Amino acid sequence: MRKILLPAVIIAATLLIVARLFYLQILDDSYIKKSENNAIKIKYEYPERGYIYDRHGKLLVANQPSYDIMVTPNDMPKTGTDTLEICKLLNISKEYFKERVAKAKVYSYKLPSVFLPQLSKKEFAAFQEKIRRFKGFDIVKRSLRDYQVNVGANVFGYIQQVNDPIIKSNPYYKSGDYIGKQGVEEMYEEILRGVKGVKYIQKDRFNREIGSFKDGIYDTIAIQGQDITLSLDAELQKYGEALMFEKRGGIVAIEPKTGEILALVTAPSYDPALLVGRERSKNYTAMYNDTIAMPLFDRGLLAEYPPGSPFKILSGLVGLQEEVIDENSTFICNHGFSYGRGAFMKCHCPGGAIQLHNGIYKSCNAYFANVFKLTIDKYPKPDYGVDAWSSHLKSFGLGGFLGYDLPPGRKGHIPNSKFYKRFYPNGGWRSSTIISNSIGQGEVSMTPIQLANMMATVANEGYYYTPHMIKKIEGREIDKKFRTKHVTTIDKQYFKPVIDGLFDVYNLGTARGLRVEGIEICGKTGTAENFTKINGVRTQLSDHSIFVAFAPRDNPKIAIAVFVENGYWGARWAGPIASLMIEKYLKGTISRTDLETKMLTQGLKAEYAKVTSGQPFSINN
């Protein structure tokens, strides 16, 4: 038995080894396909990115062919490449050649990496003729974006080559691949990019290609990216960017019933085509280094401003909900509000007896300061009052990220008791200490998109949908969070008297000169103080111009916020822009050509130059 056992074990072990080798070498080809295998060359086929359309089906972003020269160091001839000829052919320096080959070797000897990206058709044709003379070099066809419009750069974003950290963190991407950055290109990258095709090429022992590995059974075809439709109205976006001629700020327009973003304007902006092609890096660097105009900074999403008088809408709603006032509550305005010894908040309204209705359309500081004080003082401690007030405001999506489908964002700021306890650790603060919050100054700040969403919520009488740019994705539903209703802590009944006051802002109040025939607009002007540091000194600049509105009054179709930096008062710049945007969207034509001509041809270039020129700023104009 022992004589048989030992040979049997040896035979069994031998059979197992042979079986394993047979499986690995004959049945299982997966190891052969690994990128480091000398006998196999992997070629990728790159799909076109999905197209991007506006809400009306207008094509916004398509594709154009591009050609990259790739280099695989291991495939280069051992005797060396004719460096001088290839440099002359491609109009590159010898130093560039050496640098790119060295970088390719660091990435991988056996995997292709980009040698020279984005050849023109003429360059491609010239190199294609002689490519057989340059072993180790290949041409890969890709697609770059082809913009059909010269607006909306902040909405679209751009595509760029992946860097090493992206390659290391995501195995899908290889050297030379493109990826969406910023805007919808980044947010919907996996949908837009499609799926690369892969071909496995067999090579002989002389490193020559001899055909498809295993007759191509492992090859896959490229799958084109899916098309997406945005909620953006391209014509409205174009008009908004034109109206912001020589101005800085943001415009955000939302469809209240859905939360769809109709326009997202930041000014100044740039032509999206600037970030396509061989000049992309140079153009991006120039804009990135422009720290004054900041064209890459999306003011509609990132700029945090004091909201000014539009915030009075919220002060009134919270006061009604907390039952410290009703629509008939009356306060006397003596051209301001006294809240302590030597402390006086000025008011520019005519004064007299003020109730909610005329308090809104006259924009009375004293009225809303009283409402705010009563709201906080209703509670036994200011801590409780501020937290109740803060909680109501946060139900409008303020003081936090709204959750929209674009990468950049800021929270703005809605203070609570914890915030004030840090500044007053020994107590002693009360409603009068923080009274500036009542009129949108003080410690509150909001982004333009938060202001627009606030007006959409008022238009809906107490609810909103998360603002979003996506309207439709080919073959699938949009994210559920964009179809989920958010209800505020303010009862519906309290919105009607506030809306009545907003309607009369156009009829009797601060925006009566901005009326548009045939459209019932509800709006609110705003002026916000503006401070910055110049040479280390806190300096007051010209006030910001703010306007929020929705229209029509019944069954609103558009809510909008306009913010113009250093624009003096609300009705001077922001108000006309809001009225024109509303008329353009609802009617398609413009009757207020007087306002249009001014907005399209006049700006604030001289005002912005005061920061460096030393000329005085216009304060409280």
Side-chain angles (χ1 to χ4, degrees):
M1 186 67 181
R2 289 180 180 177
K3 291 180 180 179
I4 299 173
L5 181 62
L6 183 59
V9 170
I10 294 173
I11 291 170
T14 303
L15 288 174
L16 284 171
I17 292 170
V18 170
R20 180 61 178 164
L21 288 172
F22 177 81
Y23 173 76
L24 289 174
Q25 296 182 17
I26 307 300
L27 299 180
D28 182 15
D29 297 310
S30 61
Y31 82 101
I32 298 177
K33 296 187 296 173
K34 290 181 179 179
S35 58
E36 296 299 318
N37 192 295
N38 288 333
I40 302 297
K41 180 177 182 178
I42 297 176
K43 285 188 175 181
Y44 292 104
E45 181 183 353
Y46 292 89
E48 280 198 83
R49 286 180 79 85
Y51 284 20
I52 300 175
Y53 298 86
D54 89 334
R55 67 187 297 107
H56 303 297
K58 179 179 179 178
L59 179 61
L60 303 176
V61 186
N63 300 302
Q64 57 182 307
S66 172
Y67 305 92
D68 290 354
I69 296 179
M70 310 293 288
V71 61
T72 306
N74 197 61
D75 293 345
M76 295 175 69
K78 300 293 186 269
T79 55
T81 302
D82 190 338
T83 306
L84 291 178
E85 184 179 1
I86 198 170
C87 287
K88 184 178 180 181
L89 185 63
L90 296 174
N91 193 29
I92 59 175
S93 66
K94 191 174 180 179
E95 289 71 25
Y96 179 90
F97 179 94
K98 291 180 178 179
E99 178 189 330
R100 298 307 299 180
V101 171
K103 189 172 183 180
K105 290 178 179 178
V106 171
Y107 171 67
S108 171
Y109 265 82
K110 299 173 184 178
L111 288 176
S113 58
V114 176
F115 176 78
L116 186 65
Q118 301 173 12
L119 270 66
S120 67
K121 289 182 180 180
K122 184 178 179 180
E123 291 170 327
F124 163 71
F127 190 74
Q128 180 73 3
E129 278 186 18
K130 300 183 178 181
I131 193 170
R132 292 188 178 184
R133 300 170 61 176
F134 307 115
K135 298 296 182 182
F137 291 85
D138 290 301
I139 295 178
V140 172
K141 183 181 179 181
R142 306 182 195 270
S143 62
L144 297 179
R145 282 315 208 184
D146 185 13
Y147 295 99
Q148 309 300 299
V149 293
N150 61 359
V151 298
N154 60 314
V155 174
F156 306 139
Y158 52 90
I159 60 172
Q160 68 173 33
Q161 283 189 12
V162 294
N163 53 30
D164 289 340
I166 293 173
I167 294 171
K168 290 176 182 177
S169 64
N170 191 328
Y172 175 85
Y173 297 101
K174 309 297 180 186
S175 177
D177 285 4
Y178 288 87
I179 190 171
K181 297 295 289 182
Q182 295 300 317
V184 295
E185 293 279 17
E186 178 175 330
M187 293 302 293
Y188 295 99
E189 162 68 9
E190 292 187 12
I191 292 168
L192 289 167
R193 77 184 181 193
V195 179
K196 286 182 291 191
V198 184
K199 289 184 178 181
Y200 298 95
I201 309 298
Q202 181 79 51
K203 295 188 293 183
D204 64 13
R205 64 192 182 94
F206 298 107
N207 206 32
R208 294 175 300 195
E209 296 181 11
I210 58 175
S212 297
F213 173 66
K214 291 291 182 181
D215 294 322
I217 62 173
Y218 295 108
D219 294 352
T220 60
I221 61 172
I223 301 173
Q224 182 171 340
Q226 293 172 274
D227 298 340
I228 64 173
T229 298
L230 304 183
S231 60
L232 193 77
D233 184 308
E235 287 302 311
L236 189 66
Q237 178 77 18
K238 181 179 179 181
Y239 191 56
E241 292 194 20
L243 293 173
M244 291 296 286
F245 171 76
E246 291 189 353
K247 306 172 189 72
R248 296 176 191 165
I251 305 172
V252 183
I254 295 173
E255 184 178 70
K257 291 294 188 290
T258 62
E260 293 177 356
I261 299 172
L262 304 171
L264 179 61
V265 175
T266 181
S269 188
Y270 60 94
D271 185 338
L274 288 174
L275 296 186
V276 177
R278 199 96 52 92
E279 298 295 306
R280 191 202 76 83
S281 180
K282 182 179 76 173
N283 293 335
Y284 180 88
T285 301
M287 290 190 287
Y288 179 83
N289 289 331
D290 185 351
T291 56
I292 297 176
M294 299 188 297
L296 296 176
F297 182 72
D298 192 333
R299 286 169 165 87
L301 303 178
L302 292 170
E304 295 170 297
Y305 304 103
S309 290
F311 197 80
K312 295 171 183 175
I313 298 169
L314 297 172
S315 294
L317 287 169
V318 173
L320 290 168
Q321 182 67 39
E322 288 291 320
E323 298 182 337
V324 296
I325 59 163
D326 59 33
E327 53 188 294
N328 297 314
S329 298
T330 304
F331 301 99
I332 303 300
C333 175
N334 292 310
H335 303 292
F337 176 73
S338 179
Y339 56 95
R341 183 177 297 177
F344 188 74
M345 178 190 291
K346 291 181 181 180
C347 181
H348 297 291
C349 87
I354 304 293
Q355 297 178 333
L356 178 65
H357 185 76
N358 62 350
I360 292 173
Y361 74 71
K362 290 182 179 180
S363 198
C364 178
N365 289 348
Y367 177 86
F368 291 99
N370 275 292
V371 173
F372 179 81
K373 189 174 188 305
L374 289 174
T375 301
I376 305 303
D377 293 347
K378 169 186 174 181
Y379 291 84
K381 291 184 177 180
D383 311 38
Y384 305 153
V386 165
D387 286 340
W389 169 82
S390 178
S391 179
H392 286 305
L393 299 178
K394 288 177 179 178
S395 74
F396 283 78
L398 306 179
F401 295 113
L402 277 172
Y404 45 76
D405 53 346
L406 291 167
R410 295 278 175 84
K411 291 182 178 182
H413 187 238
I414 300 298
N416 56 17
S417 61
K418 288 182 180 179
F419 175 82
Y420 288 113
K421 284 176 181 176
R422 288 200 299 269
F423 284 90
Y424 301 94
N426 299 319
W429 64 277
R430 55 187 64 84
S431 59
S432 58
T433 313
I434 57 173
I435 200 71
S436 294
N437 288 327
S438 64
I439 59 170
Q441 296 286 169
E443 290 73 52
V444 297
S445 65
M446 295 167 63
T447 60
I449 195 170
Q450 289 177 326
L451 275 168
N453 190 61
M454 177 195 81
M455 285 309 283
T457 308
V458 175
N460 291 334
E461 299 182 5
Y463 71 88
Y464 70 92
Y465 290 93
T466 299
H468 53 282
M469 191 57 73
I470 196 71
K471 186 173 179 66
K472 185 172 67 176
I473 302 174
E474 181 185 8
R476 65 172 75 184
E477 285 189 331
I478 66 171
D479 196 310
K480 184 180 178 181
K481 73 176 183 178
F482 300 134
R483 295 176 279 123
T484 301
K485 181 186 287 190
H486 303 274
V487 181
T488 71
T489 57
I490 308 298
D491 295 340
K492 182 177 180 178
Q493 63 183 351
Y494 296 125
F495 285 89
K496 187 179 183 306
V498 170
I499 290 172
D500 289 342
L502 295 173
F503 177 63
D504 276 337
V505 168
Y506 266 87
N507 294 307
L508 305 170
T510 52
R512 58 188 176 275
L514 306 176
R515 284 175 293 186
V516 177
E517 190 68 32
I519 303 177
E520 293 189 333
I521 305 176
C522 300
K524 184 75 190 74
T525 55
T527 304
E529 291 183 342
N530 175 24
F531 294 88
T532 192
K533 281 191 176 182
I534 300 178
N535 297 324
V537 179
R538 187 172 186 264
T539 305
Q540 185 171 6
L541 282 62
S542 302
D543 294 340
H544 293 316
S545 174
I546 313 167
F547 199 89
V548 295
F550 65 83
R553 180 183 185 182
D554 298 319
N555 192 23
K557 299 290 194 301
I558 181 173
I560 190 167
V562 181
F563 212 108
V564 179
E565 295 180 5
N566 303 55
Y568 301 87
W569 60 91
R572 181 164 176 173
W573 293 103
I577 290 172
S579 290
L580 290 166
M581 291 284 284
I582 288 170
E583 185 177 19
K584 180 73 170 179
Y585 183 69
L586 296 180
K587 296 172 68 175
T589 57
I590 296 297
S591 63
R592 293 301 306 269
T593 54
D594 56 326
L595 297 180
E596 183 181 55
T597 300
K598 181 180 178 182
M599 294 302 112
L600 292 175
T601 61
Q602 297 181 34
L604 292 160
K605 193 174 181 179
E607 189 66 37
Y608 302 134
K610 291 178 181 178
V611 175
T612 53
S613 69
Q615 293 183 23
F617 296 98
S618 303
I619 311 301
N620 295 324
N621 280 308

